[in-house]
Structure formats: C-alpha cells, structure tokens
C-alpha cells in the first residue's frame, strides 16, 4: 500500500457523497471534496496536517505571488501527482524497505521470544484514548471500554499511527513524546504549555468568503511560501532528513537528541518520536472495527522505547507558542474548560502575558500578512488536553478570524485584551458569589466549581464575537470607548442573570434567602465597582453632592 497511489482518505464531496480519495485528488474540480470525513475527530485533525505537510514538502509556492495564483486557480490532479511523485518511496506502508512513519528496523522480524512478546501490542493501543496497560490491570476502563477495536483496516491503522506520532504523549520510561511536547516544563498560566499541543489552522468561512468552499482551499490557506523561514537546517536536504523513517532510527537510549541543527525544517511535519512497526505478517479478512469497510485487517503492532528525542527550539508552523525572555519557546496545549473566546487573541495576534509573549502559529501569522480581499475567515483550533499520559479530553473549536487593518491593529489588540480581562474578572466574581450563596462556609468547599466560569464564557461568547466588528469600526472613528461601555453592560447583565439562575431553588427548605441576597448585593457592587471600571477604562462617575 502506497499512500500516494491508494484511495484511503475519507472525504465528503460537494454533492454530499462520501468516498475515499488519493492525496492528489484534493484538487479534483469535478464534484470536488469539501471536507474530511473520518469516523474520529482526531483523525480529521491529523489528516488535515498530513495533507498540509505533503503540500508544503512537495508543492510549496516560491513566493506570495505563486501562493495567491494557486489559491485562485487550483492545480490539476495530474500536476499534484507529478509533484508528490518526487517522494513516492517515502509513503510505502507495508512490504520490504522503509515504511511510512515506522521504525527503519523490522522489529517484528528482528525480535524473538519474550522480547517480541513484550513488544507486541494490540492494534487498539495506537489510539491515544485507548485504555492503557495499567488501566486494564486496575479494571479502570470506565468510560472508554476495552475491546471496542480489535482489528483495523490498513487505512485506519496508518491514520491512527500518524495521529499518535504527531500527538505522542508521555508513555512511560523511554517513550518519546511529540516534537511539540513540553512535558518537562512548568505551568505558564491560562495558556499553559504541555503535551498534546494545540493546532490552529486557517479555514474558509463559506458565508463570508467568495472563494470556493473546497478542501483544496481550506488546506492551501495553511501552506507557506518558501520564503518563510522555519526552524531546522535547510542544508540537510536529503529525503532521510525530511522523512526520518528512510534512515536507521536515531534512537535515544543514551540521551541522544535531534535538534533543529540535525534535520530539515520539513521534518517538523513528519516527526516520528515512537519506534513502531505495524504487523502485516498476521492479518485476517473482515470488516474494520472503526470504518466498517471490508479489507485485510491488522491485529497488532510491535514497538520499542527510546525513539527519536526531539530537543531544542523547534517551532512547529501549525502551533501557537509562548515566547520567554530566557529559554526556548513553549508550544501551547488545550486546557480543561476547552477553547473559548478568552483564548482568542493569543491564538490570532501577539499578546503580552506578564514576562512572556503569546505568539500565534506561523501559518496564522503569515496568512494575516497577505493582501487578500477583506473577506471573513475562521480559525480551526483543536488538540488533546493531556494529563501526563492520560487524555482528559479532545477539544475542538471554530473561531472567527477578522482581518484588521494594520494601522489600527495595535489599538485593536489592546482593546480586545481589555474585553477579555474584564470577562475573566467578572467570571471570577460570579463564581465566588455563587459559592457564597450556596454554602454556609464556602472556603471549606473543595469541589471544583470551574464549570461556573465555563458557563459564563459560553453565555457571553456570541456577544464577544459580535463586539469585535463593532470595535474595528469604532477604532477608525475614535469611538472605541463606547464599545467598552457596551461590553460592561453585557457582562453585568449576564452575571446577574446567571446568578439568579444558579442560586434560585425550588427547594426553599435548603436555601438561605438572606445569604443569597447578601451574595447578590456583593456581586452587584463589584460589577459597578472601581476595579472593573479601571480594566475597561470607563469614565469616572461624577460624585453626588451632599444635600
């Protein structure tokens, strides 16, 4: 199976039909593919990165002009086939010789006896959210049950393999994590870096763009011209420096690492931290447990620890980072509570955060630099929220991406930061006063009530995004203070509504009306207090004269 020749990517076409295509067929103009259509959300995210990486590696435009030409006039399928053929051998999945995203050594043949038995794992364990060995031993697979997937077709198996390699979490001693992992770093605030890095991609907004809503256009928005510098060593241009499985694995049992000096920049798209071989020697015919298609099915894979240890200041083009005055930049990852509007500015524009600076993904930054028509685009943000090796949740969000004129961009980001800071302050007030209303001794309550703040952000999200176009217009007219005043009114109204909703109870026997009234009064005073007014730079109210 070669990934460039075989139809294996599930898509939905413009007429609604569902099918499998070869990578070059993303440019098919006859009933074009419009979306990826995998049975798992993390697979769709991985396949988008696979296709963008393939275009970047084999079909990168020379400059902005060529990028715009190909956006307006997609290539023919034959042209993409010709471009991809340059690295055809790197995309073999089985057979003799190097295999896509698999260890150079044929582990399934070189290991024997107990070593082979210990290294052989059920195919289900390629999934990041599959129950681990410890989970099974403790019978703790309460939510994701064991045994749901016992056999996978080659297409699903290789997609799971690619998903694991680009998201690889910590997996125990010697299990290397992804090139975007920072598991040894400490928490860095609300955008805390860590494992399971966040991916952000530019996407079309079909309702706000004149560009055709096709998969080609969605992907091409994230391909960089060759003029954009990336971390890595471009002098190492051999295929083995881009696709690490084409050469003996640079293992890490003695602490060896691969830094940006040791690999081509495009290896970031094809990083392979885990030593894995799919076992094609023992398959069976049947229906795939994931997609349901009839095919030869893989049952297991073989793995060893101490794969490639990516170290140094790598900066993946599809991930936002925290820049620090000292030390390497840290990739961001999703946090409990999901991706909400409070993260918006740091994912799209540079944002100072104390001694650090949040910077958007390179593909987002470069897209905003281009001189495109003033159309509406979106940001597709997704990734695993990991607790060490345990996935807590898969988060995914579509956020609006407004094109802001450069001359007002500094003032725009400053004002948006004020809007978000005000929302965070009010969310904290609301959470605290609801606890005061609920509990006689709220300080003794240990339960996590973070869902209250999450509910507040969800309740005000539509208002926030409606605020941004008004802010762009107001800045041009010098009327931005009016937008901030309006946001104060929105936050105040939402906080009081939610307070009433969350503290109102039909079980009057369990409620304390006096306590609820005191908490409401405190909330109201703080909503109209000096601190929130200072955050939003609201004008001071004139003092009332004594009678």
């Amino acid at each position: 199976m070669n990934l460039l020749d075989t139809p294996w990517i599930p898509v939905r076409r413009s007429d609604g039909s569902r099918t499998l295509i070869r990578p070059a067929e993303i440019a098919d103009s006859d009933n074009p593919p419009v979306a990826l259509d995998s049975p798992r959300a993390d697979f769709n995210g991985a396949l988008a990165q696979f296709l963008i990486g393939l275009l970047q590696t084999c079909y990168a435009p020379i400059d902005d002009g060529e990028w715009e030409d190909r956006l307006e006039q997609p290539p023919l399928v034959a042209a993409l086939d010709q471009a991809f053929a340059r690295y055809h051998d790197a995309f073999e999945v089985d057979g003799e010789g190097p295999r896509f995203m698999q260890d150079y050594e044929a582990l399934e043949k070189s290991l024997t006896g107990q070593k082979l038995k210990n290294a052989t794992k059920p195919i289900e364990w390629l999934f990041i959210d599959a129950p681990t060995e410890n989970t099974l031993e403790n019978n703790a697979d309460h939510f994701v049950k064991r045994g749901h997937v016992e056999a996978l077709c080659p297409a699903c198996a290789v997609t799971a393999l690619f998903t694991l390699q680009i998201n690889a979490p910590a997996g125990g001693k010697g299990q290397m994590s992804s090139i975007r992992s920072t598991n040894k770093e400490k928490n860095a605030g609300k955008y805390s870096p860590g494992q399971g890095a966040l991916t952000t991609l530019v996407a079309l907004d079909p309702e706000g763009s004149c560009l055709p809503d096709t998969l080609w256009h969605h992907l091409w928005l994230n391909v960089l011209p060759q003029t954009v510098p990336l971390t890595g060593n471009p002098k190492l241009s051999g295929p083995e420096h881009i696709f690490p499985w084409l050469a003996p694995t640079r293992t890490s049992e003695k602490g060896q690492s691969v830094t940006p000096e040791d690999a081509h920049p495009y290896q970031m798209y094809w990083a392979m931290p885990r030593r894995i071989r799919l076992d094609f020697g023992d398959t069976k015919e049947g229906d795939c447990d994931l997609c349901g298609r009839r095919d030869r099915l893989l049952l297991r894979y073989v793995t060893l620890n101490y794969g490639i240890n990516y170290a140094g200041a790598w900066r993946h083009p599809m991930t936002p980072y925290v820049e620090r005055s000292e030390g390497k930049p840290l990739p961001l990852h999703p946090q409990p509570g999901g991706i909400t509007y409070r993260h918006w500015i740091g994912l799209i524009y540079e944002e100072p955060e104390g001694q650090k600076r949040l910077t958007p993904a390179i593909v987002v930054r470069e897209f905003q630099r281009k001189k495109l028509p003033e159309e509406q685009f979106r940001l597709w943000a997704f990734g695993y929220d990991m607790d060490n090796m345990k996935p807590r949740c898969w988060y995914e969000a579509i956020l609006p991406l407004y094109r802001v004129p450069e001359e007002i961009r500094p003032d725009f980001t400053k004002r948006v930061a004020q809007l978000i800071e005000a929302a965070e302050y009010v969310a904290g007030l609301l959470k605290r006063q609801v606890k005061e209303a609920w509990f006689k001794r709220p300080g003794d309550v240990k339960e996590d009530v973070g869902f209250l703040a999450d509910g507040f952000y969800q309740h005000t999200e539509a208002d926030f995004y409606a605020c941004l176009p008004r802010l762009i217009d107001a800045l041009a007219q010098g009327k931005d203070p009016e937008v901030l005043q309006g946001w104060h009114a929105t936050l105040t109204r939402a906080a009081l509504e939610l307070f009433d909703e969350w503290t109102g109870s039909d079980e009057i026997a369990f409620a304390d009306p006096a306590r609820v009234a005191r908490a409401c009064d405190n909330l109201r005073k703080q909503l109209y207090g000096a601190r929130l007014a200072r955050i939003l730079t609201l004008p001071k109210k004139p003092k009332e004269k004594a009678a």
Side-chain angles (χ1 to χ4, degrees):
M1 176 183 181
N2 186 291
L3 297 180
L4 302 182
D5 301 334
T6 306
W8 65 283
I9 298 175
V11 298
R12 180 166 46 82
R13 292 188 181 273
S14 61
D15 68 354
S17 60
R18 305 170 69 186
T19 188
L20 301 177
I21 63 169
R22 296 184 294 109
E25 291 174 326
I26 56 175
D28 191 353
S29 59
D30 183 15
N31 194 11
V34 295
L36 295 164
D37 192 32
S38 293
R40 289 173 57 102
D42 58 346
F43 277 21
N44 279 335
L47 288 173
Q49 294 178 76
F50 172 90
L51 292 166
I52 292 168
L54 187 60
L55 290 169
Q56 188 70 57
T57 304
C58 305
Y59 199 62
I62 295 172
D63 52 23
D64 285 350
E66 191 168 72
W67 183 88
E68 291 178 21
D69 290 343
R70 291 175 180 176
L71 182 69
E72 295 173 0
Q73 184 60 54
L76 298 175
V77 172
L80 282 187
D81 272 327
Q82 185 177 3
F84 296 164
R86 177 182 177 191
Y87 295 119
H88 185 271
D89 292 346
F91 292 89
E92 296 287 351
V93 173
D94 55 359
E96 301 298 325
R99 295 178 177 181
F100 176 77
M101 279 283 171
Q102 298 174 64
D103 200 81
Y104 188 78
E105 181 182 347
L107 305 177
E108 71 279 15
K109 296 179 180 176
S110 60
L111 298 177
T112 58
Q114 191 61 39
K115 286 186 178 179
L116 177 60
K117 184 178 180 181
N118 292 341
T120 302
K121 309 297 180 188
I123 199 73
E124 179 185 21
W125 288 13
L126 286 176
F127 296 149
I128 290 176
D129 57 350
T132 61
E133 216 160 356
N134 287 338
T135 304
L136 297 179
E137 287 177 0
N138 296 328
N139 286 322
D141 52 327
H142 304 305
F143 299 104
V144 181
K145 299 290 186 184
R146 72 189 78 185
H148 274 298
V149 174
E150 295 181 346
L152 291 176
C153 67
C156 287
V158 79
T159 309
L161 172 64
F162 184 71
T163 306
L164 175 60
Q165 294 283 21
I166 63 173
N167 293 289
K173 185 179 179 182
Q175 292 290 345
M176 295 298 110
S177 48
S178 86
I179 197 170
R180 290 177 277 183
S181 173
T182 54
N183 53 313
K184 294 178 182 178
E185 303 292 346
K186 293 182 179 178
N187 188 293
K190 71 180 182 182
Y191 298 94
S192 172
Q195 302 174 71
L198 182 66
T199 298
T200 56
L201 301 177
V202 180
L204 287 173
D205 182 345
E207 297 181 357
S209 173
C210 295
L211 291 169
D213 181 20
T214 69
L215 184 57
W216 165 264
H217 289 90
H218 282 277
L219 298 171
W220 190 251
L221 291 173
N222 299 280
V223 177
L224 300 167
Q226 296 176 32
T227 50
V228 176
L230 299 174
T231 53
N233 187 349
K235 295 179 182 177
L236 300 175
S237 57
E240 71 278 14
H241 297 296
I242 298 173
F243 307 106
W245 55 90
L246 296 182
T249 303
R250 304 171 76 164
T251 57
S252 53
E253 61 270 41
K254 295 182 180 179
Q256 307 95 315
S257 61
V258 172
T259 70
E261 284 297 311
D262 305 321
H264 189 276
Y266 290 165
Q267 189 167 145
M268 287 188 288
Y269 293 89
W270 309 107
M272 189 185 73
R274 297 288 179 85
R275 301 190 67 186
I276 292 174
R277 292 278 294 197
L278 299 177
D279 186 358
F280 282 91
D282 183 17
T283 60
K284 68 175 184 180
E285 289 293 319
D287 298 332
C288 175
D289 285 341
L290 187 61
C291 71
R293 296 185 186 90
R294 191 158 190 84
D295 207 328
R296 60 169 173 160
L297 304 178
L298 286 88
L299 308 175
R300 57 187 66 87
Y301 67 95
V302 182
T303 183
L304 288 180
N305 53 11
Y306 295 109
I308 300 175
N309 176 27
Y310 291 98
W314 289 103
R315 181 162 182 151
H316 197 283
M318 292 185 271
T319 288
Y321 279 75
V322 176
E323 304 276 3
R324 305 176 295 175
S325 55
E326 296 180 356
K328 64 179 184 179
L330 304 178
L332 305 186
H333 80 140
Q335 288 282 283
I339 304 163
T340 69
Y341 72 79
R342 63 192 285 258
H343 305 103
W344 185 83
I345 192 166
L347 302 182
I348 295 175
Y349 300 108
E350 288 192 1
E351 180 190 14
E353 189 187 57
Q355 299 298 314
K356 301 180 287 291
R357 185 165 56 98
L358 304 176
T359 56
I362 294 172
V363 296
V364 177
R365 182 197 70 195
E366 289 299 312
F367 171 77
Q368 296 187 92
R369 189 180 55 76
K370 294 183 171 67
K371 295 180 180 178
L372 293 176
E374 297 297 325
E375 298 185 32
Q376 179 68 55
F377 293 90
R378 302 191 294 191
L379 191 77
W380 178 22
F382 56 86
Y384 272 105
D385 170 20
M386 302 293 298
D387 177 11
N388 201 5
M389 66 178 72
K390 299 177 184 176
R392 287 184 293 216
C393 191
W394 167 264
Y395 285 117
E396 186 168 342
I398 299 292
L399 312 176
L401 200 166
Y402 300 101
R403 295 181 63 79
V404 181
E406 283 189 29
E407 57 272 20
I408 65 168
R409 195 170 295 172
D411 289 335
F412 177 76
T413 55
K414 177 183 174 183
R415 291 305 197 195
V416 174
Q418 287 180 270
L419 302 179
I420 294 173
E421 182 183 356
E424 291 175 329
Y425 174 67
V426 173
L429 289 181
L430 177 61
K431 186 171 70 172
R432 188 161 57 251
Q433 294 307 327
V434 169
K435 283 182 68 177
E436 292 281 349
W438 277 353
F439 305 108
K440 187 175 182 180
R441 296 185 179 85
D444 296 338
V445 176
K446 304 300 181 186
E447 285 80 5
D448 182 9
V449 292
F451 65 90
L452 295 174
D454 296 340
F456 176 77
Y457 293 128
Q458 292 169 9
H459 193 76
T460 53
E461 186 165 37
D463 289 315
F464 174 80
Y465 289 127
C467 213
L468 299 187
R470 292 203 301 272
L471 180 60
I472 295 171
D473 293 339
L475 280 166
Q477 303 171 40
K479 296 182 178 179
D480 43 306
E482 296 178 11
V483 177
L484 271 66
Q485 282 187 315
W487 184 237
H488 177 264
T490 297
L491 296 177
T492 301
R493 183 176 61 252
L496 293 174
E497 287 175 356
L498 290 174
F499 180 89
D500 288 344
E501 180 181 331
W502 288 335
T503 59
S505 172
D506 295 334
E507 298 293 337
I508 194 66
F510 298 99
D512 183 335
R515 198 167 63 215
V516 172
R518 282 196 300 274
C520 184
D521 188 50
N522 288 335
L523 176 62
R524 192 180 296 274
K525 287 178 180 176
Q526 291 169 311
L527 289 173
Y528 291 99
R531 182 169 175 184
L532 183 55
R534 190 163 56 248
I535 293 172
L536 291 170
T537 55
L538 301 180
K540 292 182 179 179
K541 294 181 180 178
K543 292 183 178 179
E544 295 182 2
K545 294 182 179 180

